[in-house]
Amino acid sequence: MFRRAVCPGSFDPIHNGHLDIIERASRLYDVVHVAVLVNPSKKGMFSVDERVAMIEEITAGYGNVKVESHQGLLVDYCRDRDIPAIVKGLRAVSDFDYELQMAQMNFGLTGVETLFVPTNPTYSFQSSSLIKEVAILGGDVSHLVPDLVLRRLTERIAERSSQPTKP
Ligand code: PNS
């Protein structure tokens, strides 16, 4: 049997906590799809194509990770590719309520299962939005993101700060 799973998210940008879950999933499944979900109402720091390109480069060494973007329902992404399982990391109890709601909604829609992986405690405080906030304010996030992401983050912040501010 060929086992597939998806690790979905916004990944704006991917950080070490995400990567830990993707790497662990890649040891459990034959193919792990990383789906970068497009949220048209949210303008990210990185375009969806930039996020996909970073994740592709960072996960290339795993050998069984396929990265794609998707606009629309996650259950449709899974159904179109015959993916029976969604793998999500749980950082803390505070994640659980919302994650359980999404898992139950997704199961009710198409029967796709969600498997929760406890986040490695080293990464349990990490979130893309906090990492961006700290980096924008000049804090060191080098221990929280892969080197490639650190470089892109630094470049993006420098580009933004060199743009003239609107009155
Ligand atoms: O990294 P995030 O923002 O916590 O990921 C949330 C994400 C993208 C996995 C979730 O919002 C999602 O699945 N969005 C796709 C649209 C969808 O299927 N919505 C119904 C969820 S029950």
CSV table of all heavy atoms in Angstrom, one decimal, residues 7-12 18 35-39 42 70-76 86 88 91 98-99 101-107 109 128, ligand 1:
chain,number,residue,atom,x,y,z
A,7,CYS,N,0.7,17.8,4.9
A,7,CYS,CA,0.9,18.8,5.9
A,7,CYS,C,0.5,20.2,5.4
A,7,CYS,O,1.2,20.7,4.5
A,7,CYS,CB,2.4,18.9,6.3
A,7,CYS,SG,3.0,17.4,7.1
A,8,PRO,N,-0.7,20.7,5.8
A,8,PRO,CA,-1.2,21.9,5.2
A,8,PRO,C,-0.8,23.1,6.1
A,8,PRO,O,-0.5,23.0,7.3
A,8,PRO,CB,-2.7,21.8,5.3
A,8,PRO,CG,-2.9,20.9,6.5
A,8,PRO,CD,-1.7,20.1,6.7
A,9,GLY,N,-0.8,24.3,5.5
A,9,GLY,CA,-0.5,25.5,6.4
A,9,GLY,C,-0.4,26.7,5.5
A,9,GLY,O,-0.4,26.7,4.3
A,10,SER,N,-0.2,27.9,6.2
A,10,SER,CA,0.1,29.1,5.5
A,10,SER,C,1.6,29.3,5.2
A,10,SER,O,1.9,29.8,4.2
A,10,SER,CB,-0.4,30.3,6.3
A,10,SER,OG,-1.7,30.1,6.7
A,11,PHE,N,2.4,28.8,6.1
A,11,PHE,CA,3.8,28.8,5.9
A,11,PHE,C,4.4,30.2,5.5
A,11,PHE,O,5.2,30.2,4.5
A,11,PHE,CB,4.3,27.7,4.9
A,11,PHE,CG,3.8,26.3,5.3
A,11,PHE,CD1,2.9,25.6,4.5
A,11,PHE,CD2,4.4,25.7,6.4
A,11,PHE,CE1,2.5,24.4,4.9
A,11,PHE,CE2,4.0,24.4,6.7
A,11,PHE,CZ,3.1,23.7,6.0
A,12,ASP,N,4.0,31.2,6.2
A,12,ASP,CA,4.5,32.6,5.8
A,12,ASP,C,5.4,33.2,6.9
A,12,ASP,O,5.0,34.1,7.6
A,12,ASP,CB,3.2,33.5,5.6
A,12,ASP,CG,3.7,34.8,5.1
A,12,ASP,OD1,4.6,34.9,4.2
A,12,ASP,OD2,3.1,35.8,5.5
A,18,HIS,N,7.5,23.8,11.9
A,18,HIS,CA,6.8,23.2,10.8
A,18,HIS,C,7.7,22.1,10.2
A,18,HIS,O,7.2,21.0,9.9
A,18,HIS,CB,6.7,24.2,9.6
A,18,HIS,CG,5.7,25.3,9.8
A,18,HIS,ND1,6.0,26.6,9.6
A,18,HIS,CD2,4.4,25.3,10.3
A,18,HIS,CE1,5.0,27.4,9.8
A,18,HIS,NE2,4.0,26.6,10.3
A,35,ALA,N,1.1,21.4,1.5
A,35,ALA,CA,0.1,22.2,0.8
A,35,ALA,C,0.1,23.6,1.4
A,35,ALA,O,-0.2,23.8,2.6
A,35,ALA,CB,-1.3,21.6,0.8
A,36,VAL,N,0.6,24.6,0.6
A,36,VAL,CA,0.6,26.0,1.0
A,36,VAL,C,-0.8,26.6,0.6
A,36,VAL,O,-1.1,26.7,-0.6
A,36,VAL,CB,1.7,26.8,0.3
A,36,VAL,CG1,1.7,28.2,0.8
A,36,VAL,CG2,3.0,26.1,0.6
A,37,LEU,N,-1.7,26.8,1.6
A,37,LEU,CA,-3.0,27.2,1.3
A,37,LEU,C,-3.1,28.7,1.1
A,37,LEU,O,-2.5,29.5,1.8
A,37,LEU,CB,-3.9,26.8,2.5
A,37,LEU,CG,-4.6,25.4,2.5
A,37,LEU,CD1,-5.4,25.2,1.2
A,37,LEU,CD2,-3.6,24.3,2.6
A,38,VAL,N,-3.8,29.1,0.0
A,38,VAL,CA,-3.9,30.5,-0.4
A,38,VAL,C,-5.1,31.1,0.3
A,38,VAL,O,-6.2,30.5,0.2
A,38,VAL,CB,-4.1,30.6,-1.9
A,38,VAL,CG1,-4.2,32.1,-2.3
A,38,VAL,CG2,-3.0,29.9,-2.7
A,39,ASN,N,-4.8,32.2,1.1
A,39,ASN,CA,-5.9,32.9,1.7
A,39,ASN,C,-6.0,34.3,1.1
A,39,ASN,O,-5.2,35.1,1.4
A,39,ASN,CB,-5.6,33.0,3.2
A,39,ASN,CG,-6.8,33.7,3.9
A,39,ASN,OD1,-7.6,34.3,3.3
A,39,ASN,ND2,-6.8,33.6,5.3
A,42,LYS,N,-5.8,37.5,3.0
A,42,LYS,CA,-4.6,37.8,3.9
A,42,LYS,C,-3.4,38.1,3.0
A,42,LYS,O,-3.0,37.3,2.2
A,42,LYS,CB,-4.3,36.6,4.7
A,42,LYS,CG,-4.6,36.7,6.2
A,42,LYS,CD,-3.9,35.6,6.9
A,42,LYS,CE,-4.2,35.5,8.3
A,42,LYS,NZ,-3.7,34.2,8.8
A,70,HIS,N,-2.4,25.7,-3.0
A,70,HIS,CA,-3.8,25.3,-3.3
A,70,HIS,C,-4.7,26.4,-2.8
A,70,HIS,O,-4.6,27.0,-1.7
A,70,HIS,CB,-4.2,24.0,-2.6
A,70,HIS,CG,-5.6,23.6,-2.7
A,70,HIS,ND1,-6.1,23.2,-3.9
A,70,HIS,CD2,-6.7,23.7,-1.8
A,70,HIS,CE1,-7.4,23.0,-3.8
A,70,HIS,NE2,-7.8,23.2,-2.5
A,71,GLN,N,-5.7,26.8,-3.7
A,71,GLN,CA,-6.7,27.8,-3.3
A,71,GLN,C,-8.0,27.1,-3.2
A,71,GLN,O,-8.4,26.4,-4.1
A,71,GLN,CB,-6.8,28.9,-4.4
A,71,GLN,CG,-7.8,30.0,-4.0
A,71,GLN,CD,-7.5,31.3,-4.6
A,71,GLN,OE1,-6.5,31.4,-5.4
A,71,GLN,NE2,-8.2,32.3,-4.3
A,72,GLY,N,-8.6,27.2,-2.0
A,72,GLY,CA,-9.9,26.5,-1.8
A,72,GLY,C,-9.8,25.6,-0.6
A,72,GLY,O,-9.0,25.7,0.3
A,73,LEU,N,-10.8,24.6,-0.6
A,73,LEU,CA,-10.8,23.7,0.6
A,73,LEU,C,-9.7,22.7,0.6
A,73,LEU,O,-9.4,22.1,-0.4
A,73,LEU,CB,-12.2,23.0,0.6
A,73,LEU,CG,-13.4,23.8,1.0
A,73,LEU,CD1,-14.7,22.9,0.8
A,73,LEU,CD2,-13.4,24.4,2.4
A,74,LEU,N,-9.2,22.5,1.8
A,74,LEU,CA,-8.2,21.5,2.0
A,74,LEU,C,-8.7,20.1,1.6
A,74,LEU,O,-8.0,19.2,1.1
A,74,LEU,CB,-7.7,21.5,3.5
A,74,LEU,CG,-6.7,20.5,3.9
A,74,LEU,CD1,-5.4,20.5,3.0
A,74,LEU,CD2,-6.3,20.6,5.4
A,75,VAL,N,-10.0,19.8,2.0
A,75,VAL,CA,-10.6,18.5,1.7
A,75,VAL,C,-10.6,18.2,0.2
A,75,VAL,O,-10.5,17.1,-0.3
A,75,VAL,CB,-12.0,18.3,2.3
A,75,VAL,CG1,-11.9,18.2,3.8
A,75,VAL,CG2,-13.0,19.4,1.8
A,76,ASP,N,-10.8,19.3,-0.6
A,76,ASP,CA,-10.8,19.1,-2.1
A,76,ASP,C,-9.4,18.8,-2.6
A,76,ASP,O,-9.2,17.9,-3.5
A,76,ASP,CB,-11.3,20.4,-2.8
A,76,ASP,CG,-12.8,20.6,-2.6
A,76,ASP,OD1,-13.5,19.6,-2.3
A,76,ASP,OD2,-13.2,21.8,-2.7
A,86,ILE,N,-4.5,14.0,7.0
A,86,ILE,CA,-3.9,15.3,7.2
A,86,ILE,C,-3.0,15.2,8.5
A,86,ILE,O,-3.5,14.7,9.5
A,86,ILE,CB,-5.0,16.4,7.4
A,86,ILE,CG1,-5.9,16.5,6.2
A,86,ILE,CG2,-4.4,17.7,7.8
A,86,ILE,CD1,-7.2,17.2,6.5
A,88,LYS,N,-1.1,17.3,11.4
A,88,LYS,CA,-0.9,18.6,12.0
A,88,LYS,C,-0.1,18.5,13.3
A,88,LYS,O,-0.3,17.6,14.0
A,88,LYS,CB,-2.3,19.3,12.3
A,88,LYS,CG,-3.2,19.4,11.2
A,88,LYS,CD,-3.1,20.6,10.3
A,88,LYS,CE,-3.1,22.0,10.6
A,88,LYS,NZ,-4.3,22.7,10.6
A,91,ARG,N,1.0,22.4,19.2
A,91,ARG,CA,2.0,23.0,20.1
A,91,ARG,C,1.7,23.0,21.5
A,91,ARG,O,2.5,22.9,22.4
A,91,ARG,CB,2.3,24.5,19.6
A,91,ARG,CG,3.0,24.6,18.3
A,91,ARG,CD,3.0,26.0,17.8
A,91,ARG,NE,1.6,26.4,17.5
A,91,ARG,CZ,1.3,27.5,16.9
A,91,ARG,NH1,2.2,28.3,16.4
A,91,ARG,NH2,0.0,27.8,16.7
A,98,TYR,N,-9.3,24.7,18.2
A,98,TYR,CA,-9.5,25.1,16.8
A,98,TYR,C,-9.1,23.9,15.9
A,98,TYR,O,-9.8,23.6,14.9
A,98,TYR,CB,-8.6,26.3,16.5
A,98,TYR,CG,-8.9,26.9,15.1
A,98,TYR,CD1,-10.2,27.1,14.7
A,98,TYR,CD2,-7.8,27.2,14.3
A,98,TYR,CE1,-10.4,27.6,13.4
A,98,TYR,CE2,-8.0,27.7,13.0
A,98,TYR,CZ,-9.3,27.9,12.6
A,98,TYR,OH,-9.5,28.3,11.3
A,99,GLU,N,-8.0,23.2,16.3
A,99,GLU,CA,-7.6,22.1,15.4
A,99,GLU,C,-8.6,21.0,15.4
A,99,GLU,O,-8.9,20.4,14.4
A,99,GLU,CB,-6.2,21.6,15.9
A,99,GLU,CG,-5.0,22.6,15.7
A,99,GLU,CD,-4.8,22.8,14.2
A,99,GLU,OE1,-5.2,22.0,13.3
A,99,GLU,OE2,-4.1,23.8,13.9
A,101,GLN,N,-11.8,21.4,15.9
A,101,GLN,CA,-12.9,21.8,15.1
A,101,GLN,C,-12.7,21.6,13.6
A,101,GLN,O,-13.6,21.1,12.9
A,101,GLN,CB,-13.1,23.3,15.3
A,101,GLN,CG,-14.4,23.8,15.7
A,101,GLN,CD,-14.4,25.4,15.9
A,101,GLN,OE1,-13.3,26.0,16.2
A,101,GLN,NE2,-15.5,26.0,15.6
A,102,MET,N,-11.5,22.0,13.2
A,102,MET,CA,-11.2,21.8,11.8
A,102,MET,C,-11.1,20.3,11.4
A,102,MET,O,-11.6,19.9,10.3
A,102,MET,CB,-9.8,22.5,11.4
A,102,MET,CG,-9.9,24.0,11.4
A,102,MET,SD,-8.5,24.7,10.4
A,102,MET,CE,-7.2,24.5,11.6
A,103,ALA,N,-10.5,19.5,12.3
A,103,ALA,CA,-10.4,18.1,12.0
A,103,ALA,C,-11.8,17.5,11.9
A,103,ALA,O,-12.1,16.7,11.0
A,103,ALA,CB,-9.6,17.4,13.1
A,104,GLN,N,-12.7,17.9,12.8
A,104,GLN,CA,-14.1,17.3,12.7
A,104,GLN,C,-14.8,17.8,11.5
A,104,GLN,O,-15.6,17.0,10.9
A,104,GLN,CB,-14.8,17.6,14.0
A,104,GLN,CG,-14.2,16.9,15.2
A,104,GLN,CD,-14.8,17.3,16.6
A,104,GLN,OE1,-15.2,18.5,16.7
A,104,GLN,NE2,-14.8,16.4,17.5
A,105,MET,N,-14.7,19.1,11.2
A,105,MET,CA,-15.3,19.6,10.0
A,105,MET,C,-14.8,18.9,8.7
A,105,MET,O,-15.6,18.4,7.9
A,105,MET,CB,-15.0,21.1,9.9
A,105,MET,CG,-15.5,21.8,8.6
A,105,MET,SD,-17.3,21.7,8.4
A,105,MET,CE,-17.7,23.2,9.3
A,106,ASN,N,-13.5,18.7,8.6
A,106,ASN,CA,-12.9,18.1,7.4
A,106,ASN,C,-13.4,16.6,7.3
A,106,ASN,O,-13.7,16.1,6.3
A,106,ASN,CB,-11.4,18.2,7.5
A,106,ASN,CG,-10.9,19.6,7.1
A,106,ASN,OD1,-11.6,20.3,6.4
A,106,ASN,ND2,-9.8,19.9,7.7
A,107,PHE,N,-13.4,15.9,8.5
A,107,PHE,CA,-13.9,14.5,8.5
A,107,PHE,C,-15.3,14.4,8.1
A,107,PHE,O,-15.7,13.6,7.3
A,107,PHE,CB,-13.7,13.9,9.9
A,107,PHE,CG,-14.1,12.4,9.9
A,107,PHE,CD1,-13.2,11.5,9.4
A,107,PHE,CD2,-15.3,12.0,10.4
A,107,PHE,CE1,-13.6,10.1,9.4
A,107,PHE,CE2,-15.7,10.7,10.4
A,107,PHE,CZ,-14.8,9.7,9.9
A,109,LEU,N,-16.9,16.5,6.1
A,109,LEU,CA,-17.1,16.9,4.7
A,109,LEU,C,-16.7,15.7,3.8
A,109,LEU,O,-17.5,15.4,2.9
A,109,LEU,CB,-16.2,18.1,4.4
A,109,LEU,CG,-16.6,19.4,4.9
A,109,LEU,CD1,-15.5,20.5,4.7
A,109,LEU,CD2,-17.9,19.9,4.3
A,128,SER,N,4.8,31.6,12.9
A,128,SER,CA,5.3,32.4,11.8
A,128,SER,C,5.1,33.9,12.2
A,128,SER,O,5.9,34.8,11.9
A,128,SER,CB,4.6,32.1,10.5
A,128,SER,OG,4.9,30.8,10.1
B,1,PNS,O1,-0.8,27.7,9.1
B,1,PNS,P1,-2.2,27.9,9.4
B,1,PNS,O2,-2.7,29.3,9.0
B,1,PNS,O3,-2.5,27.6,10.9
B,1,PNS,O4,-3.0,26.8,8.6
B,1,PNS,C1,-4.4,26.8,8.6
B,1,PNS,C2,-4.9,26.1,7.3
B,1,PNS,C3,-4.4,26.8,6.1
B,1,PNS,C4,-4.4,24.6,7.3
B,1,PNS,C5,-6.5,26.1,7.3
B,1,PNS,O5,-6.9,27.4,7.4
B,1,PNS,C6,-7.1,25.5,6.0
B,1,PNS,O6,-7.2,24.3,6.0
B,1,PNS,N1,-7.4,26.3,5.1
B,1,PNS,C7,-8.0,25.9,3.8
B,1,PNS,C8,-9.4,26.3,3.6
B,1,PNS,C9,-10.3,25.2,4.3
B,1,PNS,O7,-10.3,24.1,4.0
B,1,PNS,N2,-11.1,25.7,5.3
B,1,PNS,C10,-12.0,24.9,6.1
B,1,PNS,C11,-11.2,24.4,7.3
B,1,PNS,S1,-12.2,23.2,8.2
